[in-house]
Amino acid sequence: MDRRRFCSSVGALGATVGTAGCMGALGSGGSKKTVLNPPDQDLSEAAHPSYGDEMPAFTAPDPITDETVSIEEYEGEQAVVWTSFYTNCPDGVCPALILRLRRAQEAAAEDGYGDDISFLALTFDPERDTAAVLREYANQQGVNLDAGNWHFLRPDSYERGQELLDENFGLLIEKAPADQYDNLEYQFPHYGLILLANKQGIVERAYPRGPKTDIEQLVEDVKRVATA
C-alpha cells in the first residue's frame, strides 16, 4: 500500500473521537470489486487502507484458540471486520470500538449470516493483554467467543505489533506515560480505526472515527457486505 498522509492527526488520546464521516448510502456497488457505493468522505489520501484498497495481508496469533490467523484464509470465504485496541484503554475509545464489532456480531447471529463474517480485534499491548486477560475482556464486553467468528489477535511482542500496524495499516503506535491515571504504567495515543472488507479481500469501508461510528449504519454495512 502506498504511504499516504492520514486524514486526521493524533495529538492526544482519543483524537479519533468525533463525528463519523465515512458513511455512504448503500446501493448496487461502486465498482466490480465492491458491494457498497463509494463513501461520502474520500479517504484515498489516508495512510490507512480505504474504499477499494486490498485488505492488508497479515498473520497474528490468537492466544485464546491457540492458532495463527492469516487474513488470506478469509479471502473467497468470509467478509472481515477489523480493528485494533488494548484492554487497558483508559478513555473509553477501545470499549467503544469493541462494542461496535460486538453489535455487528450479534446482528449476524440473529439474522443467520454469522458464518459469512469474521471479527478480528488486534491488541497492540501484548505485554499486558494475555490470553486470560483477553478472555475476561470478552466477558466484560459481551463478545461471544463461542460463535467461532471472533478472534482476539495478539502479536508476539510490542515491537511486532508496532511493525504490523505501521507497515500494513499506516498506524503509528507508541507507549506514552500515564501519570494522570492511577495504577496505569503506560498508555497509547492511537487511532480508533475500523475496517470492513468483503469476501474478495477488498476494503468496503474505513471508519476512521470508529468510536463515534453510527452503530446501526455499521451493522447495515456489515450485513450488506457479508451477505452479498
Side-chain angles (χ1 to χ4, degrees):
M1 180 182 67
D2 294 336
R3 301 296 297 171
R4 296 164 292 179
R5 181 175 295 177
F6 189 36
C7 62
S8 64
S9 63
V10 61
L13 274 174
T16 58
V17 177
T19 58
C22 57
M23 307 303 178
L26 296 179
S28 58
S31 74
K32 293 181 180 180
K33 299 188 299 180
T34 57
V35 176
L36 304 181
N37 284 334
D40 292 338
Q41 181 180 1
D42 181 5
L43 298 173
S44 59
E45 295 302 315
H48 62 73
S50 61
Y51 181 78
D53 289 337
E54 292 185 5
M55 184 70 178
F58 70 93
T59 300
D62 178 337
I64 294 177
T65 62
D66 196 25
E67 63 183 302
T68 298
V69 174
S70 173
I71 195 68
E72 295 174 338
E73 70 189 66
Y74 297 104
E75 190 167 343
E77 300 293 334
Q78 292 179 310
V80 169
V81 185
W82 174 94
T83 196
S84 60
F85 79 107
Y86 70 117
T87 64
N88 279 277
C89 182
D91 57 9
V93 172
C94 294
L97 292 170
I98 299 301
L99 168 64
R100 280 149 179 79
L101 268 65
R102 189 258 291 173
R103 290 286 293 274
Q105 184 194 38
E106 289 175 346
E110 291 170 359
D111 292 346
Y113 57 93
D115 291 340
D116 295 306
I117 185 75
S118 280
F119 302 90
L120 308 179
L122 174 75
T123 176
F124 41 80
D125 189 14
E127 295 173 353
R128 293 183 293 196
D129 290 344
T130 63
V133 168
L134 291 170
R135 187 178 293 279
E136 177 59 26
Y137 191 71
N139 292 334
Q140 294 171 357
Q141 301 300 321
V143 171
N144 184 1
L145 295 178
D146 294 330
N149 59 3
W150 186 292
H151 290 281
F152 280 120
L153 303 180
R154 179 177 177 264
D156 293 327
S157 66
Y158 164 59
E159 291 76 17
R160 172 57 184 149
Q162 284 185 302
E163 179 184 32
L164 191 158
L165 286 169
D166 182 16
E167 294 184 358
N168 293 282
F169 298 95
L171 303 179
L172 300 179
I173 300 296
E174 294 284 351
K175 290 181 180 179
D179 299 336
Q180 69 271 41
Y181 298 105
D182 293 334
N183 303 317
L184 192 61
E185 180 182 358
Y186 58 86
Q187 61 182 322
F188 291 93
H190 66 95
Y191 300 110
L193 177 67
I194 298 173
L195 294 178
L196 167 62
N198 63 32
K199 295 176 183 178
Q200 286 67 51
I202 304 300
V203 174
E204 295 275 0
R205 284 290 182 269
Y207 309 94
R209 291 170 174 82
K212 289 294 185 179
T213 297
D214 182 83
I215 294 176
E216 291 184 3
Q217 182 65 65
L218 185 143
V219 168
E220 187 176 1
D221 290 347
V222 170
K223 181 176 182 178
R224 178 66 185 275
V225 171
T227 60

